[in-house]
Amino acid sequence: MLGAIHAPCGLLNIKAQGPAASLVPFLPARVSPVKAAQKTSVARRQTSAARLSRAQAVATQEAATQTNKQAPSNEYELKTLTLWLLKEEQAGRIDNELAVVLSSIAVACKQIASMVNRAGISNLTGAAGEQNFSGEDQKKLDVVSNEVFSNCLRASGRTGVIASEEEDEPVAVEETYSGNYVVVFDPLDGSSNIDAGISTGSIFGVYAPSEECKLDDMDDPTKMMENCLLNTCQPGSALLTAGYCLYSSSTIFVLTTGDGVYGFTLDPLVGEFIMSHENVKVATKLDQVPESGKIYAFNEGNYGGWEKGLQDYMMSLKDADKHGGKPYSARYIGSLVGDFHRTMLYGGIYGYPADKTNKTGKLRLLYECAPMSYIMEQAGGTGSTGQERVLDICPEKVHQRVPLFVGSPKEVAYLESFIKK
């Protein structure tokens, strides 16, 4: 090989050392033109085949890479609530402090789910013998669930104010050291159904603390209470996140951080909430709020106390001739979370209007109407009082009540056409 590389120098030496005949071995042999063409053709075909093989290999590798990106790394991979919160934090939709608050709420919901499931054998059914601020009889689980929620939020160290439907006033949290979020919640909605084993749920919403209402003066109870109220009374449009947990045949944790609605079902064997309803805004999925749906959920026992426009609306739903020969179906559980969850998945409308007994409605704006309307709007639906958007109302007091109508956009718009006449 070395001689071949330095052939010119070698030739010069040969010329100097011997006769020209010594160069014969170095001259190329003659090749037939036909054979040369055949060899060239074969070489080209081999080169072409090699290139094709390489191209196919690259395409196969790219397809495998794309498949790996789309599919889980293995069949045992679980999309847990914890991992989802980490991804939301990475995407910048929530910060670390808010992720801790939501994780604490999830823990509270697991505890409450366990107690609801064992209520009948753990002496947790029946009345507690007390009334809440609104004058409603409290169930034993109402009281216990409120303690569970409050304790989990305090222990997180990220909440500045917590406001519960079961408490008279919002409470400042002294244990906080970061975040200072304002959390409003109904620890156990539909508790009157517990003894019958019917669906119940927890509802919550999280607000950022108002910069104008800082809880700096912990030594002045009056000033502190004023600041708590100011922090808490924010419109639903200011919510950072909202959600609910349904306790039924399965425990489902539904949550939005302002970018779609996601549902997680509790796996009791793993002890984790696992993704089961991924982005219910997607139109091609079953859990998307349909544009319309022939289901209504109202307590018709209060029909006689409703305003004329609402009575006319209810009668129109039962008129088959106005709806393609088939009237609407009535589905009413008597639990806001249960009725809402079905409405979000199947479409239709849920309503709890004002009546002669409850002139401004019965559901609380802060603890129930605002969080649920926020979730419904994130799922593509509508939340209304019949006169205005729920999320636009700024509460005047923490236990303020308003009428509520949530559901598919066309259904809510149809109701409003009767009430706004």
Side-chain angles (χ1 to χ4, degrees):
M1 290 295 292
L2 189 58
I5 294 173
H6 295 85
C9 297
L11 288 174
L12 290 174
N13 293 335
I14 293 171
K15 284 180 180 178
Q17 295 173 2
S22 63
L23 293 175
V24 174
F26 295 93
L27 294 176
R30 288 193 172 187
V31 180
S32 169
V34 176
K35 291 183 178 180
Q38 291 175 343
K39 288 183 178 180
T40 302
S41 178
V42 170
R44 286 177 179 174
R45 286 199 299 270
Q46 290 175 342
T47 302
S48 177
R51 288 176 179 173
L52 179 60
S53 297
R54 286 197 297 271
Q56 290 175 338
V58 170
T60 303
Q61 180 64 30
E62 290 178 350
T65 301
Q66 186 65 24
T67 302
N68 289 336
K69 288 181 179 179
Q70 296 175 353
S73 58
N74 60 71
E75 60 180 308
Y76 300 108
E77 182 177 355
L78 298 177
K79 292 184 178 180
T80 65
L81 174 62
T82 302
L83 291 177
W84 184 82
L85 290 174
L86 289 174
K87 290 182 179 180
E88 290 293 289
E89 184 181 345
Q90 292 172 353
R93 284 186 281 271
I94 62 176
D95 58 22
N96 178 260
E97 282 76 15
L98 184 53
V100 172
V101 171
L102 293 173
S103 295
S104 300
I105 292 174
V107 171
C109 291
K110 290 178 187 178
Q111 289 184 257
I112 295 172
S114 176
M115 291 187 295
V116 169
N117 289 336
R118 294 183 291 106
I121 58 176
S122 300
N123 194 31
L124 289 174
T125 57
E130 300 176 359
Q131 291 186 332
N132 60 18
F133 177 78
S134 302
E136 298 170 335
D137 292 330
Q138 290 181 311
K139 297 287 186 178
K140 291 179 181 178
L141 267 179
D142 281 324
V143 178
V144 177
S145 299
N146 186 61
E147 286 297 317
V148 169
F149 243 92
S150 298
N151 290 340
C152 286
L153 290 171
R154 284 192 175 95
S156 73
R158 268 73 174 181
T159 53
V161 178
I162 57 176
S164 169
E165 186 188 64
E166 303 298 330
E167 302 284 353
D168 297 353
E169 301 288 352
V171 177
V173 180
E174 298 183 21
E175 297 91 337
T176 187
Y177 58 87
S178 177
N180 291 321
Y181 288 100
V182 179
V183 182
V184 297
F185 59 92
D186 181 354
L188 194 62
D189 173 76
S191 56
S192 60
N193 289 325
I194 291 173
D195 294 0
I198 300 175
S199 301
T200 56
S202 301
I203 306 170
F204 64 89
V206 182
Y207 293 91
S210 173
E211 295 182 359
E212 301 176 359
C213 313
K214 296 181 179 179
L215 299 176
D216 294 329
D217 192 358
M218 300 295 288
D219 297 327
D220 186 345
T222 303
K223 184 65 176 177
M224 183 183 68
M225 184 57 65
E226 291 177 359
N227 287 340
C228 284
L229 291 172
L230 290 172
N231 265 300
T232 305
C233 292
Q234 301 182 49
S237 56
L239 279 164
L240 298 177
T241 180
Y244 62 83
C245 191
L246 173 68
Y247 312 119
S248 185
S249 57
S250 59
T251 299
I252 304 176
F253 189 85
V254 177
L255 176 67
T256 178
T257 58
D259 186 31
V261 181
Y262 295 81
F264 303 82
T265 300
L266 180 63
D267 184 340
L269 296 179
V270 180
E272 284 280 358
F273 283 109
I274 310 299
M275 176 81 75
S276 56
H277 299 72
E278 188 169 359
N279 195 355
V280 300
K281 289 173 59 180
V282 180
T284 58
K285 294 197 174 184
L286 175 64
D287 6 25
Q288 167 67 19
V289 173
E291 187 66 16
S292 184
K294 290 190 173 184
I295 301 174
Y296 70 92
F298 286 71
N299 183 359
E300 292 189 75
N302 297 324
Y303 177 88
W306 293 344
E307 61 179 283
K308 180 66 164 57
L310 190 58
Q311 291 178 338
D312 293 341
Y313 163 76
M314 189 57 60
M315 293 305 297
S316 74
L317 298 183
K318 301 175 182 180
D319 188 343
D321 294 336
K322 292 183 178 181
H323 305 288
K326 183 178 179 180
Y328 275 54
S329 298
R331 300 285 187 273
Y332 187 72
I333 301 172
S335 168
L336 172 58
V337 174
D339 283 313
F340 180 95
H341 190 70
R342 183 199 57 249
T343 301
M344 187 172 68
L345 296 184
Y346 299 160
I349 185 170
Y350 167 85
Y352 208 118
D355 54 43
K356 292 181 179 178
T357 304
N358 304 290
K359 299 185 182 299
T360 59
K362 188 175 181 181
L363 300 179
R364 285 80 170 176
L365 174 60
L366 267 176
Y367 314 111
E368 297 165 318
C369 299
M372 295 307 237
S373 294
Y374 185 65
I375 297 168
M376 184 59 77
E377 288 196 7
Q378 285 296 315
T382 302
S384 173
T385 65
Q387 301 292 338
E388 60 182 327
R389 180 175 177 240
V390 171
L391 298 184
D392 291 336
I393 304 173
C394 188
E396 298 177 357
K397 52 186 179 180
V398 292
H399 291 283
Q400 180 177 339
R401 301 172 187 254
V402 295
L404 176 66
F405 304 99
V406 290
S408 305
K410 280 190 175 181
E411 297 300 334
V412 176
Y414 182 60
L415 175 138
E416 290 178 335
S417 68
F418 284 85
I419 297 180
K420 289 183 177 180
K421 285 182 178 180

